[in-house]
Amino acid sequence: MIRWRKGTVVKIRREWPGAVELDVMIDDEGEARALAYPALVGRPRPGDAVLLNTTALAMGLGTGGYAMVVAVPDRFPPDPSGPGHLVKARYTPLQATVLGADEQDSAHHEVLRDAESIDGMPVVVADLHSALPAIIAGLHLDRPGTRVVYVMPDGGALPAWFSRTIATLRETGALTATVTVGQAFGGDLEAVTLHTGLLAARLVLGAEVAIVAQGPGNLGTGTRWGFSGVSAGEAVNAAAVLEGRPVASLRVSEADARERHRGISHHSLTAYGRVALARAQVVVPDLPGEFGDRVRAEAGPLGARHELVTVPVDGLEKAVRDSPVRVSTMGRGLDQDLAGFLAVAAAGRHAAGLLSRRPDGADR
């Protein structure tokens, strides 16, 4: 299950909040990229011996193609101190204790203890982590300065620190904060469930809009139900039960080599058409030409369960190009799969429009 190796740190390549990228020399195998999370294993230095998990590296995975530093055996980090009783990555060798916003020792416990409403806050739901910067670009285009909080469940990467996208969006002010929920960890706030994560986003962090999408590295099997993006449907349910306004973005593609992801991906059709039991506003981007006709036709059946909202895409390409994050999905950039990024940016645009209207549809 795990491919263990020993190595030596050659140099520090770069750092971003929560993560350090390294070059390591793996015994009998040569040099490779590695990633360490200092909060878990300490800060490796050139010359340090390191214990590595090279499973994903050997598989050639895209987002996960690192040797992961499991330990720096000759120099342990200091013992943790302070409050915190939430154990994340539970019963794994790297289980970590964090302070949850919703636990009894938290300063936010009283706010969250009996909370049950996010008071009509729009919650934009997406399948892929790569949608995050485009959603924010569409949102800020029509409503600059909106307080946006990303709520990251545990369908992809568990450490939020893995995401350079989050780090850049935070650094530039495009993203206000991140809440990590379930087994995910490393956000500005931690929470036990998606529900308390959304409540914390609204009541503690003052979010005007929340975005829910899994972290990098989603998992799919080519089967109807075997993909981590089913959590998008569950996110619609959570947002609705907390009296929010779920906004469902569609995963679309003109360029994906896999037919099941061409047009509207089967991930979106299953998550919203089968898993989501609550009503959402499904944003249908007003794309031009035959592909736009295809997307509108494929979205049609979702109207039996949800409200279909057609949103114009004018101006969104420039907004996404101007994002502080260079967008990419499955190795395809904006020019290779423009429609996919316009579709999720349109959901951000729609959420911006909702902020000027009450949940009952009246103007504020």
Side-chain angles (χ1 to χ4, degrees), residues 18 33 51 82 108 130 154 157 169 177 191 198 205 210 232 260-262 277 301 353 360:
R33 282 192 316 164
L51 181 62
H108 311 303
S130 56
D154 51 20
L169 291 171
L198 287 169
L205 296 170
R260 64 184 182 276
H261 293 305
R262 288 284 188 100
L277 303 179
D360 61 7

mmCIF file of all heavy atoms in Angstrom, residues 18 33 51 82 108 130 154 157 169 177 191 198 205 210 232 260-262 277 301 353 360:
data_model
loop_
_atom_site.group_PDB
_atom_site.id
_atom_site.type_symbol
_atom_site.label_atom_id
_atom_site.label_comp_id
_atom_site.label_asym_id
_atom_site.label_seq_id
_atom_site.Cartn_x
_atom_site.Cartn_y
_atom_site.Cartn_z
ATOM 1 N N GLY A 18 2.490 26.723 4.593
ATOM 2 C CA GLY A 18 2.199 25.359 5.012
ATOM 3 C C GLY A 18 2.987 24.276 4.329
ATOM 4 O O GLY A 18 2.903 23.111 4.733
ATOM 5 N N ARG A 33 11.470 15.310 -6.932
ATOM 6 C CA ARG A 33 10.804 16.361 -6.168
ATOM 7 C C ARG A 33 10.126 15.743 -4.951
ATOM 8 O O ARG A 33 9.577 14.641 -5.023
ATOM 9 C CB ARG A 33 9.741 17.057 -7.012
ATOM 10 C CG ARG A 33 10.262 18.057 -8.014
ATOM 11 C CD ARG A 33 9.117 18.888 -8.572
ATOM 12 N NE ARG A 33 7.943 18.101 -8.914
ATOM 13 C CZ ARG A 33 6.735 18.604 -9.119
ATOM 14 N NH1 ARG A 33 6.522 19.903 -8.981
ATOM 15 N NH2 ARG A 33 5.730 17.830 -9.446
ATOM 16 N N LEU A 51 12.631 10.300 5.583
ATOM 17 C CA LEU A 51 11.846 9.116 5.261
ATOM 18 C C LEU A 51 10.735 9.554 4.320
ATOM 19 O O LEU A 51 10.039 10.540 4.577
ATOM 20 C CB LEU A 51 11.259 8.512 6.532
ATOM 21 C CG LEU A 51 10.416 7.244 6.373
ATOM 22 C CD1 LEU A 51 11.249 6.113 5.792
ATOM 23 C CD2 LEU A 51 9.836 6.830 7.727
ATOM 24 N N GLY A 82 -0.929 23.874 23.383
ATOM 25 C CA GLY A 82 -2.141 24.659 23.208
ATOM 26 C C GLY A 82 -3.371 23.783 23.099
ATOM 27 O O GLY A 82 -3.298 22.549 23.086
ATOM 28 N N HIS A 108 -15.062 30.221 19.481
ATOM 29 C CA HIS A 108 -16.246 30.336 18.626
ATOM 30 C C HIS A 108 -17.325 29.319 18.979
ATOM 31 O O HIS A 108 -18.363 29.273 18.304
ATOM 32 C CB HIS A 108 -15.845 30.146 17.161
ATOM 33 C CG HIS A 108 -14.672 30.989 16.751
ATOM 34 N ND1 HIS A 108 -14.663 32.359 16.873
ATOM 35 C CD2 HIS A 108 -13.451 30.637 16.252
ATOM 36 C CE1 HIS A 108 -13.493 32.825 16.448
ATOM 37 N NE2 HIS A 108 -12.750 31.813 16.065
ATOM 38 N N SER A 130 -9.820 23.106 -9.372
ATOM 39 C CA SER A 130 -9.393 24.051 -10.408
ATOM 40 C C SER A 130 -10.464 25.087 -10.725
ATOM 41 O O SER A 130 -10.181 26.103 -11.367
ATOM 42 C CB SER A 130 -9.011 23.303 -11.689
ATOM 43 O OG SER A 130 -10.081 22.490 -12.138
ATOM 44 N N ASP A 154 -13.107 16.852 2.284
ATOM 45 C CA ASP A 154 -11.977 15.920 2.233
ATOM 46 C C ASP A 154 -12.019 14.949 1.052
ATOM 47 O O ASP A 154 -11.446 13.867 1.106
ATOM 48 C CB ASP A 154 -11.875 15.132 3.541
ATOM 49 C CG ASP A 154 -13.189 14.490 3.960
ATOM 50 O OD1 ASP A 154 -14.078 14.315 3.091
ATOM 51 O OD2 ASP A 154 -13.349 14.166 5.148
ATOM 52 N N ALA A 157 -7.226 16.400 -1.764
ATOM 53 C CA ALA A 157 -6.131 16.546 -0.806
ATOM 54 C C ALA A 157 -6.697 16.787 0.587
ATOM 55 O O ALA A 157 -7.682 17.500 0.754
ATOM 56 C CB ALA A 157 -5.231 17.710 -1.218
ATOM 57 N N LEU A 169 -4.349 32.976 -3.854
ATOM 58 C CA LEU A 169 -5.594 33.727 -3.707
ATOM 59 C C LEU A 169 -5.653 34.448 -2.368
ATOM 60 O O LEU A 169 -6.137 35.584 -2.282
ATOM 61 C CB LEU A 169 -6.795 32.785 -3.856
ATOM 62 C CG LEU A 169 -7.028 32.211 -5.261
ATOM 63 C CD1 LEU A 169 -8.093 31.125 -5.224
ATOM 64 C CD2 LEU A 169 -7.429 33.307 -6.251
ATOM 65 N N ALA A 177 -10.547 33.629 3.369
ATOM 66 C CA ALA A 177 -10.099 32.598 4.302
ATOM 67 C C ALA A 177 -10.526 31.236 3.780
ATOM 68 O O ALA A 177 -11.321 31.124 2.840
ATOM 69 C CB ALA A 177 -10.684 32.835 5.699
ATOM 70 N N ALA A 191 -13.151 22.563 11.123
ATOM 71 C CA ALA A 191 -14.492 22.204 11.579
ATOM 72 C C ALA A 191 -14.712 20.709 11.373
ATOM 73 O O ALA A 191 -14.057 20.079 10.556
ATOM 74 C CB ALA A 191 -15.559 23.004 10.843
ATOM 75 N N LEU A 198 -19.611 25.616 7.047
ATOM 76 C CA LEU A 198 -20.377 26.700 6.430
ATOM 77 C C LEU A 198 -20.846 27.709 7.476
ATOM 78 O O LEU A 198 -20.810 28.925 7.241
ATOM 79 C CB LEU A 198 -21.584 26.128 5.677
ATOM 80 C CG LEU A 198 -21.269 25.399 4.374
ATOM 81 C CD1 LEU A 198 -22.498 24.642 3.864
ATOM 82 C CD2 LEU A 198 -20.768 26.375 3.306
ATOM 83 N N LEU A 205 -16.283 34.108 10.223
ATOM 84 C CA LEU A 205 -15.418 34.799 9.273
ATOM 85 C C LEU A 205 -16.126 35.886 8.475
ATOM 86 O O LEU A 205 -15.497 36.606 7.722
ATOM 87 C CB LEU A 205 -14.798 33.779 8.308
ATOM 88 C CG LEU A 205 -13.862 32.764 8.965
ATOM 89 C CD1 LEU A 205 -13.491 31.660 7.976
ATOM 90 C CD2 LEU A 205 -12.603 33.450 9.488
ATOM 91 N N ALA A 210 -19.757 31.643 0.138
ATOM 92 C CA ALA A 210 -18.881 30.493 0.378
ATOM 93 C C ALA A 210 -18.765 29.685 -0.902
ATOM 94 O O ALA A 210 -19.716 29.623 -1.700
ATOM 95 C CB ALA A 210 -19.420 29.616 1.505
ATOM 96 N N ALA A 232 -20.324 17.108 -4.312
ATOM 97 C CA ALA A 232 -20.969 18.336 -4.772
ATOM 98 C C ALA A 232 -22.467 18.286 -4.511
ATOM 99 O O ALA A 232 -23.084 19.291 -4.118
ATOM 100 C CB ALA A 232 -20.686 18.565 -6.255
ATOM 101 N N ARG A 260 -17.157 10.761 -21.342
ATOM 102 C CA ARG A 260 -18.056 10.960 -20.204
ATOM 103 C C ARG A 260 -17.925 12.344 -19.580
ATOM 104 O O ARG A 260 -18.769 12.750 -18.772
ATOM 105 C CB ARG A 260 -17.812 9.877 -19.145
ATOM 106 C CG ARG A 260 -16.435 9.902 -18.492
ATOM 107 C CD ARG A 260 -16.264 8.732 -17.534
ATOM 108 N NE ARG A 260 -14.983 8.728 -16.857
ATOM 109 C CZ ARG A 260 -13.856 8.236 -17.344
ATOM 110 N NH1 ARG A 260 -13.863 7.680 -18.553
ATOM 111 N NH2 ARG A 260 -12.733 8.263 -16.639
ATOM 112 N N HIS A 261 -16.842 13.054 -19.939
ATOM 113 C CA HIS A 261 -16.661 14.417 -19.432
ATOM 114 C C HIS A 261 -16.864 15.475 -20.508
ATOM 115 O O HIS A 261 -16.699 16.658 -20.238
ATOM 116 C CB HIS A 261 -15.261 14.570 -18.820
ATOM 117 C CG HIS A 261 -15.055 13.755 -17.584
ATOM 118 N ND1 HIS A 261 -15.878 13.848 -16.485
ATOM 119 C CD2 HIS A 261 -14.113 12.822 -17.273
ATOM 120 C CE1 HIS A 261 -15.444 13.012 -15.542
ATOM 121 N NE2 HIS A 261 -14.386 12.376 -16.011
ATOM 122 N N ARG A 262 -17.202 15.075 -21.738
ATOM 123 C CA ARG A 262 -17.477 16.038 -22.799
ATOM 124 C C ARG A 262 -18.874 16.617 -22.627
ATOM 125 O O ARG A 262 -19.801 15.932 -22.175
ATOM 126 C CB ARG A 262 -17.377 15.362 -24.176
ATOM 127 C CG ARG A 262 -15.980 15.008 -24.618
ATOM 128 C CD ARG A 262 -15.218 16.242 -25.098
ATOM 129 N NE ARG A 262 -13.941 15.878 -25.688
ATOM 130 C CZ ARG A 262 -13.725 15.787 -26.985
ATOM 131 N NH1 ARG A 262 -14.703 16.037 -27.842
ATOM 132 N NH2 ARG A 262 -12.527 15.472 -27.435
ATOM 133 N N LEU A 277 -30.643 16.314 -3.096
ATOM 134 C CA LEU A 277 -32.073 16.168 -2.846
ATOM 135 C C LEU A 277 -32.751 17.518 -2.653
ATOM 136 O O LEU A 277 -33.965 17.629 -2.776
ATOM 137 C CB LEU A 277 -32.300 15.293 -1.612
ATOM 138 C CG LEU A 277 -31.682 13.891 -1.677
ATOM 139 C CD1 LEU A 277 -31.960 13.126 -0.386
ATOM 140 C CD2 LEU A 277 -32.209 13.130 -2.886
ATOM 141 N N PRO A 301 -32.576 18.194 -18.331
ATOM 142 C CA PRO A 301 -33.185 17.289 -17.361
ATOM 143 C C PRO A 301 -32.973 17.701 -15.908
ATOM 144 O O PRO A 301 -33.765 17.313 -15.040
ATOM 145 C CB PRO A 301 -32.488 15.950 -17.662
ATOM 146 C CG PRO A 301 -32.094 16.046 -19.108
ATOM 147 C CD PRO A 301 -31.720 17.482 -19.299
ATOM 148 N N GLY A 353 -24.682 38.419 -8.210
ATOM 149 C CA GLY A 353 -26.009 38.989 -8.413
ATOM 150 C C GLY A 353 -26.959 38.679 -7.279
ATOM 151 O O GLY A 353 -27.815 39.505 -6.930
ATOM 152 N N ASP A 360 -35.860 35.666 -0.996
ATOM 153 C CA ASP A 360 -37.192 35.544 -1.605
ATOM 154 C C ASP A 360 -37.244 36.139 -3.025
ATOM 155 O O ASP A 360 -38.285 36.139 -3.659
ATOM 156 C CB ASP A 360 -38.255 36.194 -0.729
ATOM 157 C CG ASP A 360 -38.035 37.690 -0.513
ATOM 158 O OD1 ASP A 360 -37.116 38.259 -1.152
ATOM 159 O OD2 ASP A 360 -38.748 38.288 0.296
#
